[in-house]
Amino acid sequence: RYFLVGSNPAETKYRVLKIDRTEPKDLVIIDDKHVYTQQEVRELLGRLDLGNRTKMGQKGSSGLSRAVSAFGIVGFVRFLEGYYIVLITKRRKMADIGGHAIYKIEDTNMIYIPNDSVRVSHPDEARYLRIFQNVDLSSNFYFSYSYDLSHSLQYNLTVLRMPLETLKSETAQTRQESFDIFEDEGLSTQGGSGVFGICSKPYEKYVWNAKLLEAVRTAVHRDWLLYIIHGFCGQSKLLIYGRPIYVTLIARRSSKFAGTRFLKRGANCEGDVANEVETEQILYDASVMSFSAGSYSSYVQVRGSVPLYWSQDISTMMPKPPITLDQADPYAHVAALHFDQMLQRFGSPIIILNLVKEREKRKHERILSEELVAAVTYLNQFLPPEHAIIYIPWDMAKYTKSKLCNVLDRLNVIAESVVKKTGFFVNRPDSYCSILRPDEKWNELGGCVVSTGRLQTGVLRTNCVDCLDRTNTAQFMVGKCALAYQLYSLGLIDKPNLQFDTDAVRLFEELYEDHGDTLSLQYGGSQLVHRVKTYRKIAPWTQHSKDIMQTLSRYYSNAFSDADRQDSINLFLGVFKPAEGKPHLWELPTDFYLHHKNTLSLAQTRQSYTYWWTTGVLKHLPLPFDEVTCAENRRKLTVKKFHKYEEEIDIHNEFFRPYELSSFDETFCLAMTNSTRDFMPKNVGIDPSPFTVRKPDETGKSVLGNKNNREETVLQRKTAASAPPPPSEEAVSSSSEDDSGTDKEDEGAVSQRSTPVKVTDTGDNAKITENVVQSTKDVYGVNLSDIPSEDDLAVYARFVQLGQSQHKQDKGSQQFCSKCPLDKVINLIPISSFSQDNIYEVQPPRADWKSIEIFHAHIQAGRGNMQPLGRDDFLMYREYIRNRYM
């Protein structure tokens, strides 16, 4: 047998799983449903060790031996022989949300469960194992023990605010159905008031190991089940005058209809689209960790392929294969299923930002736009007008080529209108400062305002053809706009507006570029081809060669390695299950039938052509159906009562671990980007605010984003992104992720700089010259006049004269002895006719009683004894507010 011993972080509670190794093909797991203490589990393992030795007292290979130490179970998988167990053997902390750690899987271990004596070998087992392991679990897979990564922060905190009466009734109803009756009995005898805990079912669309845990989900306690997501997770620290604000970006990739670029396009018969990723930006004040007492804010947006039946044939080996519509869908059946899912999860309005090309010589991308417009128009006929799907078409490629239009200016206008419609989530009411200093933009903000804060209702869905380059830039601009509102809602800035070239936006841009590169590698096989700097037209000339290399890398990956990656994903997600007598995975000509289930069996019920949404969704709009309190949603929750002194619910013990010997490797394992260390200028006298616009040479990191070759170029450009490019500037290549072909209409020049680069050639090596002399304004914060005034010169001349005529004593005549008083050692004689006003002695000014009283009140306030404010104080403060802000 294999024994799996699992513990809580404090190592005070243990559970044990027994896995039978005598079954060649079946998985037999026994959970004894008991919680052990540390002493009990040691005694249990000691007895097992003793009982399995061949002779008493023998300490050889027999008995109990440790096979592996792990941080969690990914799941169990079977191909043609017996089952394997997949364990997480190495992890790395990537982020922290309210004291809940988020880890990235660094390494895994697959262990074959059956004994060699009962193993029935199969010739194709090794090949299936190799295909399964092609899914690199050490690449962008994340998990958390205590935070549900498959749901948004808004969902998790909304569930926590469920009324206590509901929880008590749910506990009473499910007490008899509880998995572990011993725990519940123990609670009732301990006395005292308990604490209710809620565990919600994960959103399976974003869980990547759901099929791997399917075999044991009902057989083991829920504490053994660890759900992992795939995508991206990054966290940076924004320091605002020392106040730590954590900016977190979490991207969840859908496990439905998942795959690689040209092999997964459009949608399947269930409304799941290719390359669907939900991106959530979370902002919170890290000085307070608790979800109930802290300040938390989040904003969610989505990217995904156009929800139609369409594909591209890559057998022609063209860089841009033609787009073909595979099935006619006059009643928008697939789009209806997709938008129904979005209404349930996000509420209304659903806003579509379509970035594909509108004007082309040869009809290519426009095919998708025309079909999507028809689908949205059809579906909107049956929705109430206030909840209709909003469609925004914008040809981003055409605007990028134009010399007169600024892409990011136009995107900023779209972002403002989108955020005003959807709102964002914040878990605290509007601060008093926003009432004192009302802002027009803030008053126009949408969403749902509740007593505990604000809720985001609706979502922005961005797409181009691939949903990579253009989409990432558009999402960054919307995220930047939402970030300004989030900072304003937490009282950190006085207006909901952020400018480019500030430390905060540079930090956020770097986070989004890492996010875009990671998602692009997963779906397209290369990093981003066009970045935010490309669309701002400030990218260096070396970026063009990098773009060419990324385009070639993407083409190679799509042509030669995507098919193998698609097979691995199909096997890992359980889309294909090997079985005796069935064709093998590598023998299938296509996986179309695996992803479209209606090709193998007809659906029992047909969806209505007019009432295309799920029953009950419209009744709660604009709120998302998944977050409202109803019987259907309560069935997804598991409610449990804890004792108030348990380690499991003690945030302080869980986060700080006072009972452990701390090690630097674990305490400081989270190496975050820091706005002060990495972006703030190192010059003395520079404004430390992260919201101050910097010049390109004032930043801690190179504005060009090239960390290794920081001295490659000296770029002089305008700091404002809204400044239009000069007439001589050539157009940036608007070929996005899918525009890297040979079509002349889509070709453009490399992004040019608005001012030339200064290079001096000395000998064979070209060196960069930089102006290292700084002005007094940069260093000291003030401008010094070239010529002082006559009055200043007269005062300075008198000061010099006084210094020259000062009395100099002969030090040799001094006799130092321990008996001499100190005032005789240094005897200073006044050199001015003013006896009480010279450079040696000054008569201190006399303070009046009012000043002395204020000073004493100040001293008392430092000791914690505050003086009560009088009527005059209130009048003075009100006058100050009126003069300053009204």
Side-chain angles (χ1 to χ4, degrees):
R1 282 183 175 181
Y2 276 134
F3 289 91
L4 260 70
V5 181
S7 75
N8 62 345
E11 296 186 3
T12 56
K13 291 183 177 181
Y14 292 82
R15 291 185 182 275
V16 179
L17 280 186
K18 304 168 191 173
I19 304 176
D20 192 358
R21 301 185 64 196
T22 59
E23 292 289 337
K25 291 192 176 182
D26 294 329
L27 182 65
V28 179
I29 290 187
I30 302 168
D31 187 348
D32 59 8
K33 304 181 182 180
H34 183 66
V35 180
Y36 297 88
T37 63
Q38 193 174 57
Q39 183 64 29
E40 288 171 347
V41 82
R42 282 178 180 171
E43 292 174 358
L44 174 67
L45 295 177
R47 288 196 299 270
L48 289 170
D49 181 37
L50 198 63
N52 283 281
R53 290 179 191 165
T54 51
K55 293 181 181 178
M56 291 296 292
Q58 179 181 349
K59 289 188 177 181
S61 58
S62 59
L64 202 65
S65 61
R66 177 178 293 194
V68 66
S69 296
F71 294 104
I73 303 172
V74 175
F76 298 84
V77 63
R78 176 181 175 271
F79 307 123
L80 296 170
E81 297 181 9
Y83 273 90
Y84 296 84
I85 181 173
V86 187
L87 299 170
I88 301 168
T89 55
K90 196 175 179 183
R91 69 182 184 186
R92 181 157 61 97
K93 189 176 179 182
M94 293 300 294
D96 182 271
I97 301 176
H100 301 270
I102 298 173
Y103 297 97
K104 176 179 179 288
I105 298 176
E106 290 282 294
D107 199 10
T108 56
N109 193 2
M110 283 186 74
I111 298 175
Y112 189 65
I113 292 176
N115 275 321
D116 292 338
S117 58
V118 297
R119 182 169 186 170
V120 181
S121 59
H122 195 283
D124 293 316
E125 179 77 7
R127 186 168 181 180
Y128 274 116
L129 181 61
R130 192 166 59 250
I131 292 172
F132 182 87
Q133 291 177 331
N134 273 348
V135 174
D136 187 6
L137 278 168
S138 64
S139 172
N140 309 117
F141 283 89
Y142 304 91
F143 69 93
S144 176
Y145 298 112
S146 53
Y147 182 80
D148 188 355
L149 284 172
S150 67
H151 284 293
S152 65
L153 181 74
Q154 176 171 319
Y155 177 88
N156 289 334
L157 296 193
T158 305
V159 167
L160 286 177
R161 286 199 299 266
M162 188 172 283
L164 187 63
E165 290 73 21
T166 309
L167 297 183
K168 287 180 178 177
S169 62
E170 288 292 319
T171 311
Q173 292 171 11
T174 57
R175 176 64 66 90
Q176 300 303 321
E177 303 168 6
S178 174
F179 186 90
D180 195 344
I181 38 178
F182 302 109
E183 290 184 34
D184 290 335
E185 288 176 359
L187 275 175
S188 59
T189 59
Q190 289 178 11
S193 58
V195 178
F196 288 95
I198 308 172
C199 178
S200 63
K201 286 184 180 177
Y203 194 67
E204 292 212 356
K205 188 177 193 175
Y206 299 116
V207 175
W208 276 63
N209 62 336
K211 293 289 184 184
L212 301 179
L213 293 173
E214 203 172 44
V216 297
R217 186 171 296 175
T218 56
V220 301
H221 192 273
R222 59 178 175 272
D223 288 350
W224 288 104
L225 305 177
L226 192 65
Y227 297 102
I228 63 174
I229 66 165
H230 184 38
F232 173 79
C233 179
Q235 191 170 57
S236 296
K237 183 190 290 186
L238 182 65
L239 277 175
I240 305 175
Y241 294 104
R243 186 178 180 182
I245 305 298
Y246 283 4
V247 183
T248 313
L249 207 60
I250 299 175
R252 310 173 184 90
R253 181 173 289 282
S254 171
S255 61
K256 310 292 184 184
F257 203 50
T260 53
R261 186 184 176 201
F262 285 127
L263 299 177
K264 285 291 164 282
R265 293 295 211 192
N268 64 3
C269 62
E270 296 177 347
D272 302 308
V273 297
N275 194 22
E276 184 174 6
V277 182
E278 180 184 298
T279 300
E280 180 180 21
Q281 62 188 57
I282 299 173
L283 189 83
Y284 75 96
D285 187 346
S287 55
V288 182
M289 289 189 310
S290 165
F291 275 142
S292 56
S295 301
Y296 291 81
S297 176
S298 74
Y299 183 77
V300 178
Q301 47 186 325
V302 176
R303 68 172 71 184
S305 190
V306 180
L308 305 167
Y309 286 122
W310 65 281
S311 62
Q312 287 178 281
D313 184 12
I314 57 171
S315 60
T316 56
M317 296 296 287
M318 293 172 60
K320 287 170 58 176
I323 292 174
T324 56
L325 293 171
D326 298 331
Q327 293 182 37
D329 194 6
Y331 300 106
H333 174 72
V334 174
L337 289 171
H338 177 67
F339 292 124
D340 181 34
Q341 289 180 14
M342 296 190 73
L343 286 173
Q344 287 189 58
R345 184 162 172 83
F346 304 109
S348 70
I350 304 296
I351 305 172
I352 303 170
L353 178 57
N354 186 18
L355 302 174
V356 305
K357 294 179 182 177
E358 300 287 340
R359 295 177 59 187
E360 298 172 298
K361 290 180 182 177
R362 177 171 51 86
K363 202 172 179 181
H364 181 63
E365 297 183 13
R366 191 151 49 96
I367 299 170
L368 300 177
S369 285
E370 292 172 353
E371 287 295 317
L372 184 58
V373 169
V376 172
T377 306
Y378 173 80
L379 296 176
N380 273 342
Q381 296 177 88
F382 313 107
L383 279 176
E386 64 272 17
H387 303 310
I389 300 169
I390 301 171
Y391 178 75
I392 306 174
W394 188 56
D395 190 343
M396 189 169 173
K398 184 185 79 172
Y399 270 80
T400 309
K401 287 183 178 181
S402 171
K403 297 179 181 179
L404 302 175
C405 302
N406 187 284
V407 177
L408 300 190
D409 268 359
R410 175 63 181 153
L411 274 176
N412 195 51
V413 173
I414 295 173
E416 284 282 354
S417 65
V418 165
V419 176
K420 282 180 181 177
K421 287 185 177 71
T422 62
F424 62 96
F425 169 72
V426 63
N427 73 330
R428 50 178 272 182
D430 293 350
S431 52
Y432 188 60
C433 64
S434 62
I435 301 172
L436 284 177
R437 298 171 294 189
D439 189 272
E440 294 179 4
K441 290 165 62 176
W442 181 256
N443 295 331
E444 297 171 2
L445 197 62
C448 183
V449 182
V450 293
S451 59
T452 53
R454 289 177 175 268
L455 300 178
Q456 178 181 345
T457 57
V459 73
L460 172 69
R461 184 193 191 280
T462 312
N463 74 268
C464 45
V465 176
D466 285 334
C467 306
L468 297 180
D469 297 357
R470 285 175 283 184
T471 298
N472 199 69
T473 302
Q475 284 196 330
F476 163 73
M477 288 302 295
V478 175
K480 170 179 164 289
C481 177
L483 180 68
Y485 280 101
Q486 290 175 285
L487 288 166
Y488 181 80
S489 70
L490 301 185
L492 301 171
I493 53 177
D494 58 350
K495 288 188 180 299
N497 186 36
L498 287 177
Q499 292 182 322
F500 274 102
D501 298 313
T502 58
D503 297 344
V505 173
R506 281 175 178 165
L507 176 141
F508 190 62
E509 182 182 334
E510 185 180 83
L511 204 57
Y512 246 97
E513 287 204 350
D514 292 344
H515 159 266
D517 283 338
T518 304
L519 298 181
S520 184
L521 276 167
Q522 293 165 8
Y523 183 65
S526 76
Q527 293 184 348
L528 290 173
V529 175
H530 299 308
R531 303 170 180 275
V532 176
K533 293 181 180 65
T534 309
Y535 291 106
R536 288 184 71 190
K537 304 184 181 180
I538 63 165
W541 59 273
T542 51
Q543 188 66 41
H544 186 48
S545 59
K546 292 180 183 176
D547 290 351
I548 294 172
M549 290 305 298
Q550 295 299 342
T551 303
L552 293 175
S553 171
R554 190 174 289 184
Y555 177 71
Y556 174 84
S557 175
N558 299 156
F560 300 106
S561 62
D562 275 7
D564 293 337
R565 286 173 58 208
Q566 185 66 57
D567 286 346
S568 303
I569 292 171
N570 289 340
L571 188 62
F572 183 86
L573 292 175
V575 177
F576 176 85
K577 294 182 179 178
E580 292 284 354
K582 285 175 59 178
H584 293 301
L585 179 60
W586 52 86
E587 294 174 351
L588 296 177
T590 176
D591 64 352
F592 180 85
Y593 308 102
L594 301 176
H595 291 274
H596 294 76
K597 296 179 181 177
N598 62 352
T599 57
L600 300 176
S601 61
L602 291 174
Q604 298 296 323
T605 57
R606 296 189 63 182
Q607 190 182 18
S608 169
Y609 290 143
T610 55
Y611 297 99
W612 51 267
W613 51 85
T614 304
T615 308
V617 169
L618 279 191
K619 184 172 70 174
H620 299 285
L621 288 180
L623 289 174
F625 180 73
D626 288 352
E627 294 176 15
V628 298
T629 306
C630 62
E632 186 177 341
N633 287 336
R634 278 202 293 267
R635 282 196 290 270
K636 300 176 185 176
L637 302 177
T638 305
V639 185
K640 185 180 173 185
K641 189 176 180 182
F642 294 91
H643 193 263
K644 59 183 178 181
Y645 296 119
E646 286 194 58
E647 299 94 340
E648 203 168 342
I649 58 171
D650 190 339
I651 295 177
H652 180 269
N653 281 346
E654 181 78 20
F655 186 78
F656 291 106
R657 312 274 183 87
Y659 44 81
E660 285 186 3
L661 181 64
S662 300
S663 68
F664 282 166
D665 289 341
E666 293 182 2
T667 307
F668 301 105
C669 61
L670 185 54
M672 281 189 285
T673 304
N674 190 309
S675 64
T676 303
R677 182 185 65 231
D678 299 323
F679 293 95
M680 197 176 81
K682 304 302 183 282
N683 307 2
V684 180
I686 295 293
D687 184 2
S689 169
F691 309 113
T692 302
V693 177
R694 314 282 189 199
K695 295 177 183 178
D697 53 351
E698 283 184 352
T699 180
K701 281 192 179 183
S702 171
V703 72
L704 307 177
N706 192 352
K707 301 170 190 172
N708 298 327
N709 304 321
R710 204 174 280 182
E711 296 181 354
E712 193 173 13
T713 56
V714 176
L715 185 64
Q716 297 178 348
R717 60 163 176 78
K718 299 175 182 178
T719 55
S722 58
S728 61
E729 186 177 25
E730 298 183 29
V732 180
S733 170
S734 66
S735 58
S736 181
E737 53 278 9
D738 46 87
D739 303 333
S740 55
T742 57
D743 192 354
K744 290 184 179 179
E745 179 222 357
D746 299 334
E747 288 182 357
V750 65
S751 57
Q752 301 292 321
R753 299 163 299 282
S754 54
T755 52
V757 177
K758 294 183 179 179
V759 179
T760 58
D761 193 1
T762 58
D764 296 332
N765 299 325
K767 295 184 179 179
I768 312 303
T769 59
E770 296 187 11
N771 183 17
V772 295
V773 181
Q774 296 175 335
S775 65
T776 54
K777 175 70 174 175
D778 292 337
V779 178
Y780 299 107
V782 294
N783 277 323
L784 297 180
S785 303
D786 294 335
I787 302 174
S789 65
E790 292 183 3
D791 293 341
D792 292 338
L793 283 173
V795 172
Y796 181 67
R798 180 175 179 273
F799 175 75
V800 171
Q801 186 180 4
L802 290 173
Q804 288 174 346
S805 61
Q806 71 176 11
H807 181 73
K808 297 180 181 177
Q809 293 197 1
D810 184 8
K811 294 183 180 179
S813 63
Q814 300 273 347
Q815 291 184 358
F816 297 92
C817 63
S818 58
K819 297 181 181 180
C820 296
L822 189 63
D823 55 352
K824 290 183 179 179
V825 175
I826 302 175
N827 186 16
L828 302 177
I829 301 173
I831 59 172
S832 170
S833 59
F834 303 99
S835 60
Q836 297 299 319
D837 184 12
N838 54 57
I839 62 173
Y840 295 125
E841 79 179 293
V842 175
Q843 183 70 25
R846 298 196 175 190
D848 57 358
W849 66 271
K850 182 80 172 173
S851 303
I852 295 173
E853 188 180 344
I854 291 172
F855 179 71
H856 282 302
H858 172 70
I859 296 296
Q860 292 300 319
R863 294 172 177 168
N865 303 322
M866 301 298 295
Q867 300 292 327
L869 297 177
R871 183 171 176 272
D872 294 340
D873 297 321
F874 280 110
L875 291 175
M876 186 185 302
Y877 180 68
R878 187 177 300 170
E879 189 68 24
Y880 165 75
I881 292 296
R882 185 183 294 112
N883 295 336
R884 178 69 176 82
Y885 298 112
M886 298 302 180

